[in-house]
Amino acid sequence: MTQHLDPAPTAAPAPASDPSVGRSPAHGTRQAAGSGGTDWWRDAVIYQVYPRSFADGDGDGMGDLPGVRARLPYLAGLGVDAVWLSPFYASPQADGGYDVTDYRSVDPLFGELSDAASLIEDAHGLGLRVIVDIVPNHSSDRHEWFRRALREGPGSPARARYHFRPGRGEGGELPPNDWESVFGGPAWTRVREADGSPGEWYLHLFAPEQPDFNWEHGAVRDEFRTILRFWLDLGVDGFRVDVAHGLVKAPGLPDTGGPGQLRLLGSGKLPFFDQDGVHEIYRDWRQVFEEYPGDRIGVAEAWAPSSERTALYVRPDELHQAFNFHYLQTDWDAAALRDVICDSLEAMRPSGAPATWVLSNHDVVRHRTRLGGLARARAATLLMLALPGSAYVYQGEELGLPEVADLPDDVRQDPSFFRDSGQDGLRDGCRVPLPWERRGSSYGFGSGGSWLPQPEEWSELSVAAQSGRKDSTLEMYRAALRIRREQPGLGAGESVEWLPAPEGVLAFRRGSFVCTANTGGTAVELPARPGELLLASGPYEGGEALPPDTTAWWTTGPLA
């Protein structure tokens, strides 16, 4: 469905003069992807592509791999180092592709396997690395393994690959334990056996269409090793591990003791998340990664209760990075931000892994809306990009896109929207397809509209509208990523030198680079001019008073 009926341009690659394509990679320090360079991931800026909402190559209203491939020059021109692709595997799409039927094929919705291979090749030619999602916690209920488990019945070897259990109660009519699904309701669904009788229950920490694998089973571990090698052989540079904290469950699947478990996600101990046994799996995976040249990496999506627990996933023999959700959840407040920055850096130091920083993704409210406006979003971006380690950018945040909070109920597709509890069910608001042009049925997303309606005001937030406009959010991102490459004080590292600053202001030095961020609502005079102004998130020429909700970058050395 779309709100716009004008004819749209085709999704073929635009000519080089079109600003929507972006500029040729002007960052001479970028090393060719796949060339065998070491530790590229320590200071990488990684751009998340949600394929169904990035660009539509065949005009069916849904984004796809050919659409992504056509827009790779834009990403190279933006200045990112790598592209992370959310799932594009064969799937019934019960949860946006996170319910996989075949981990070695591309869903026809997104193209063919050859499209994935061509995308990887083109990305490498532009100096971009490619990270793909892998979904090891659960499969689709239409996966052949699960269908076989249903056919073969209780006690069969096929059922041992998942978590099947008899129910509680006199007739087995109650779930095996009190675990709750992240999407709401019990984490168990009862099956009908082949003879039509009510049977066992199976575990699904997410939707019923997503049964959890049993990672104590050797066949599951073997299967995923071969899946990793399949995509590594195709040339991917790494994997973002979905629900990395969920693979291993506590022995005996004990009760949690009561309802309200979802309030503990990422903050408390649960028998189905962040169990110590997951680390053996990732030590095994690390050995697979090291069979291949060019620093192939694993990135954990791990909702752990503390930075210290998160750091366990990135010990030297496990994964390379872990998402910093504690930073993402922090308010726009100087004291709180300083605490989480220090905590994050300190937690990563013993493992030698880089900290990661992220403000938005496909599961959370876009940070322009969450933090309270575009000025804060831009300021938060420059603060994030100034920190030591690796940064993640979610598609469209470089355009300053807000959350779309008023989508009609009849167009929503988030599975938790249709359940009576669990997540808020409104993740569609951050997944609305990108605007590339000022006009057209989908603002250049594709020739056949878009699967979610785009607000009319996105015309002036499009790539075409912002390219070349000095004060635009897009040009701020381009400038920031260029400076990040040019300034030796930015990027890799494990510490910052905090400087004296007024209340509400963060100020730190990294070599000859200084960052000042005013999180308050009024202008604040800085103790002294930190150096020559490199870039500011808003209207600011480097005077004594730093405006509210503004971050400024400075150099005390020669301008690059």
Side-chain angles (χ1 to χ4, degrees):
M1 176 180 288
T2 179
Q3 295 176 339
H4 313 287
L5 303 176
D6 299 336
T10 66
S17 60
D18 188 332
S20 72
V21 171
R23 299 153 183 166
S24 60
H27 313 298
T29 58
R30 174 182 282 140
Q31 187 172 27
S35 64
T38 59
D39 288 356
W40 62 269
W41 42 275
R42 288 191 169 274
D43 61 350
V45 177
I46 300 170
Y47 186 100
Q48 181 189 358
V49 167
Y50 190 68
R52 62 172 51 210
S53 297
F54 188 70
D56 175 15
D58 61 8
D60 66 353
M62 187 72 68
D64 48 38
L65 295 184
V68 177
R69 183 185 177 196
R71 297 294 186 177
L72 287 174
Y74 164 79
L75 297 178
L78 184 63
V80 300
D81 300 289
V83 179
W84 153 34
L85 296 166
S86 292
F88 49 79
Y89 308 114
S91 166
Q93 304 296 317
D95 182 25
Y98 285 92
D99 50 315
V100 181
T101 57
D102 185 350
Y103 290 85
R104 298 176 182 83
S105 69
V106 172
D107 194 279
L109 190 69
F110 300 117
E112 301 176 350
L113 187 60
S114 60
D115 294 316
S118 296
L119 188 158
I120 294 166
E121 182 179 5
D122 285 3
H124 287 171
L126 290 166
L128 297 168
R129 289 176 168 86
V130 178
I131 296 170
V132 299
D133 250 298
I134 191 166
V135 188
N137 181 69
H138 47 260
S139 72
S140 166
D141 62 348
R142 300 187 196 178
H143 191 289
E144 179 52 36
W145 277 15
F146 191 75
R147 296 170 73 173
R148 181 177 174 186
L150 294 181
R151 291 193 305 268
E152 296 188 3
S156 67
R159 287 206 175 180
R161 296 169 177 168
Y162 294 90
H163 294 279
F164 280 88
R165 296 289 187 278
R168 296 190 288 193
E170 185 175 342
E173 70 277 7
L174 299 176
N177 65 24
D178 66 355
W179 293 4
E180 297 171 353
S181 163
V182 172
F183 287 168
W188 296 89
T189 290
R190 196 175 194 184
V191 305
R192 288 234 169 236
E193 302 297 355
D195 62 2
S197 64
E200 292 186 316
W201 297 70
Y202 68 87
L203 176 67
H204 54 86
L205 292 181
F206 295 87
E209 297 88 351
Q210 297 168 291
D212 280 41
F213 284 118
N214 174 16
W215 273 86
E216 300 301 323
H217 198 294
V220 175
R221 299 192 180 213
D222 290 344
E223 172 70 357
F224 273 88
R225 277 192 291 266
T226 66
I227 292 168
L228 293 174
R229 290 190 176 100
F230 177 87
W231 290 101
L232 290 166
D233 288 341
L234 202 65
V236 303
D237 299 283
F239 301 89
R240 176 263 192 186
V241 186
D242 185 60
V243 196
H245 55 299
L247 276 55
V248 172
K249 281 66 175 176
L253 310 185
D255 283 341
T256 64
Q261 301 156 27
L262 302 183
R263 293 194 299 270
L264 297 176
L265 292 181
S267 62
K269 188 71 172 176
L270 291 167
F272 46 81
F273 280 158
D274 194 36
Q275 296 294 306
D276 289 339
V278 299
H279 300 290
E280 178 188 346
I281 296 169
Y282 300 131
R283 285 191 286 272
D284 186 37
W285 285 20
R286 182 64 175 257
Q287 294 178 32
V288 174
F289 298 152
E290 292 182 353
E291 295 172 8
Y292 292 80
D295 271 5
R296 315 297 178 95
I297 70 167
V299 182
E301 183 211 23
W303 288 87
S306 67
S307 297
E308 289 74 22
R309 291 293 300 181
T310 302
L312 297 179
Y313 291 79
V314 292
R315 287 176 287 194
D317 60 346
E318 294 190 38
L319 301 176
H320 299 74
Q321 292 184 350
F323 286 123
N324 190 344
F325 293 119
H326 303 285
Y327 183 76
L328 182 150
Q329 294 174 314
T330 303
D331 293 334
W332 183 239
D333 174 82
L337 286 164
R338 177 165 175 166
D339 285 346
V340 75
I341 291 167
C342 290
D343 184 47
S344 300
L345 293 173
E346 184 62 30
M348 293 296 136
R349 193 166 290 118
S351 69
T356 65
W357 315 100
V358 60
L359 293 168
S360 290
N361 65 35
H362 65 294
D363 282 335
V364 302
V365 173
R366 285 187 176 275
H367 70 275
R368 170 176 173 171
T369 300
R370 192 178 71 249
L371 296 180
L374 182 58
R376 287 184 176 182
R378 289 168 57 114
T381 293
L382 288 196
L383 173 61
M384 174 185 78
L385 292 174
L387 295 170
S390 180
Y392 282 77
V393 173
Y394 177 52
Q395 65 177 41
E397 71 173 73
E398 78 276 15
L399 304 177
L401 296 184
E403 186 81 359
V404 181
D406 57 353
L407 288 170
D409 289 356
D410 63 347
V411 305
R412 292 189 179 276
Q413 298 192 28
D414 184 345
S416 61
F417 179 77
F418 303 99
R419 308 191 73 173
D420 59 3
S421 60
Q423 292 183 347
D424 61 18
L426 302 178
R427 293 179 298 168
D428 295 314
C430 64
R431 300 176 179 184
V432 175
L434 297 192
W436 293 91
E437 305 292 342
R438 281 190 167 99
R439 287 171 289 277
S441 67
S442 62
Y443 301 127
F445 171 68
S447 60
S450 63
W451 67 282
L452 286 173
Q454 302 152 300
E456 293 183 5
E457 57 268 25
W458 279 21
S459 169
E460 292 307 309
L461 294 177
S462 65
V463 174
Q466 295 197 46
S467 288
R469 204 181 77 212
K470 185 177 179 181
D471 63 346
S472 74
T473 302
L474 175 57
E475 293 301 344
M476 185 200 77
Y477 270 75
R478 286 172 171 163
L481 295 176
R482 172 181 55 79
I483 293 170
R484 183 179 163 98
R485 290 184 179 279
E486 294 172 349
Q487 291 294 317
L490 286 170
E494 60 179 25
S495 64
V496 300
E497 176 191 351
W498 293 103
L499 303 175
E503 184 177 357
V505 175
L506 290 169
F508 59 84
R509 183 191 312 277
R510 303 192 61 215
S512 62
F513 171 86
V514 174
C515 177
T516 56
N518 181 4
T519 68
T522 59
V524 175
E525 289 195 10
L526 300 174
R529 182 183 174 90
E532 294 296 322
L533 183 68
L534 292 169
L535 184 65
S537 64
Y540 178 55
E541 300 298 329
E544 293 181 0
L546 183 63
D549 296 327
T550 299
T551 298
W553 287 3
W554 313 80
T555 181
T556 59
L559 289 172

